Amino acid sequence: MAHITTQHEWENEMCIKILHLIQNELYLDFRYLDVALSALTFCENEQIRTQATDGICLFYSREQILRVYPKNPLFLNRAYLHSVFHCIFRHLWMRGQREPVIWNLACDITVEWIIDSFEKTTTKRALSLTRLQYYEHLKEEQIPVTAAAIYQDLLTITDPDLQARLQFEFYTDDHRFWPTNPAASPSIAKAGQNWEKIGRRTQQEMEMHGQQDSEAVKAMQTEIKKGTSRRSYRDFLRKFTVLREELQCDYDEFDLNYYSYGLRLYQNMPLIEPLESREVMKISEFVIVIDTSYSTNGALVEKFLEETFQIIGQRDSFFHKSHIRILQCDNQVQSDIIIRSEEDITKLLANFSLIGGGGTDFRPAFAYVDQLLSEGAFHHLKGLLYFTDGKGIYPARRPSYETAFVFIGEEEEQQVPPWAMKINLNQEDFTI
């Protein structure tokens, strides 16, 4: 018996065809988005009145698509691209402790500015006065077109009417499915990692296909980098972990069936018992040096320490005998705090204050660590991480341990000696 198509099924089929048509049209103007444009699964949802995404699905309303497409197909093109850009920039996973309404607006403004800057036939629209005025404001105030920077700017707006106009002007898709705690959902966390990979591929493709749109492309590349900087820092810290055996039951290698069978067959004699040790990647001995020169921001240093300890603590990173030193140094070592447990971290963050304020010289910290090594304070020092936002004098010779410099901003990168690792973070990465 032939299946009779219902009205609902027919409408849904038409919506899917329209969405595929939108994909194809956007691909003609944005060939470097080939993977991104097809990465979301189409999911019908009649509780919304526009499009939405959770990083896995593109939720759509049958009523909206069938109503809008005949009259204004460009709106649907922009809405589709708008949601895809949110995912590429990983806006869904970057909110942190920011105020949700303002963060949503900042993300929408960032995406819309980029889409408007492309001036492509599939997405071009007339710009309203409100939109033009805010774009001009960003230009005059030299505010970078990133969600983090625009968020900080929006926090300064005290006029409720202006806030309402901006909300109305830039609203495009529904953010109700954005995760409040991405780490709590394995599927959402995995989607975030997938979009990070798509973002990196997009950057590579843009280098070949996007040169003619230099301003928009530059903004896209900056925002993609923003979305991956914290993830990159987490990967960066893994360079300082070591693989060792630690005394604990390794239940991953333990077969409960054999254990239970032995108890049944021989009463109290199991055939196999859990291994008493397992190999784990953890931080054993490690030094963090904080630049406390006059140019250092105390609140930023605290955020850096919180972020660092949060990352290394996510996978039970401490051995039972960990040894981490927190040094404060300007042109001399001002303090030395020993961290041996997670309780020590809590105490440090609760009572932390900067000591120093002189010029920046990196050499005293390295000399101090070398002295500790000669005195036997360390047995297996894995590395040293130096956090700084200013220029300093580097050691002339390479130390015996791995070294990395973490900078706020870009200007210091070329000055780092070739024997040191380096990473650049933006101030907004820690002000969340």
Side-chain angles (χ1 to χ4, degrees), residues 291-295 329-332 334 356-362 364 386 391-393:
D291 173 13
T292 60
S293 62
Y294 67 91
S295 60
C329 182
D330 44 19
N331 52 15
Q332 60 181 321
Q334 300 287 353
T360 303
D361 190 340
F362 303 130
Y386 211 124
K391 299 178 180 179
I393 305 173

Side-chain angles (χ1 to χ4, degrees), residues 18 39 51 58 68 73 113 122 207 211 246 258 346 348 368 381-382 407 411 414:
I18 290 172
Q51 290 178 181
L58 180 75
V68 173
W113 184 95
T122 53
E207 292 176 0
Q211 309 301 342
E246 190 169 60
Y258 281 111
T346 303
L348 170 68
Y368 182 80
L381 179 61
K382 182 60 180 175
F407 292 102
E411 67 276 6
Q414 300 303 321

Side-chain angles (χ1 to χ4, degrees), residues 332-397:
Q332 60 181 321
V333 176
Q334 300 287 353
S335 72
D336 178 4
I337 300 175
I338 300 176
I339 302 293
R340 297 193 182 277
S341 67
E342 296 187 39
E343 289 75 17
D344 292 337
I345 294 176
T346 303
K347 293 178 183 178
L348 170 68
L349 296 177
N351 303 291
F352 181 80
S353 61
L354 287 180
I355 304 173
T360 303
D361 190 340
F362 303 130
R363 296 173 298 177
F366 286 92
Y368 182 80
V369 173
D370 289 341
Q371 179 182 344
L372 291 175
L373 281 169
S374 65
E375 294 172 353
F378 293 108
H379 301 287
H380 303 285
L381 179 61
K382 182 60 180 175
L384 180 148
L385 184 68
Y386 211 124
F387 176 80
T388 178
D389 66 347
K391 299 178 180 179
I393 305 173
Y394 293 91
R397 302 171 65 180

Side-chain angles (χ1 to χ4, degrees), residues 285-289 324-325 327 369 378 381 383-386:
E285 295 185 342
F286 183 54
V287 176
I288 298 175
V289 184
I324 298 177
R325 297 269 185 146
L327 307 182
V369 173
F378 293 108
L381 179 61
L384 180 148
L385 184 68
Y386 211 124

Side-chain angles (χ1 to χ4, degrees), residues 273-305:
E273 293 188 354
L275 299 176
E276 293 182 349
S277 65
R278 65 184 301 181
E279 289 186 326
V280 288
M281 292 294 295
K282 293 188 177 183
I283 288 176
S284 178
E285 295 185 342
F286 183 54
V287 176
I288 298 175
V289 184
I290 304 297
D291 173 13
T292 60
S293 62
Y294 67 91
S295 60
T296 303
N297 182 306
L300 192 60
V301 171
E302 291 187 51
K303 289 293 183 181
F304 163 75
L305 289 174

Side-chain angles (χ1 to χ4, degrees), residues 113 133-143 215:
W113 184 95
Q133 287 177 337
Y134 190 74
Y135 289 170
E136 185 62 26
H137 163 73
L138 294 178
K139 183 177 180 180
E140 290 178 353
E141 299 297 325
Q142 298 183 339
I143 298 171
E215 190 174 14

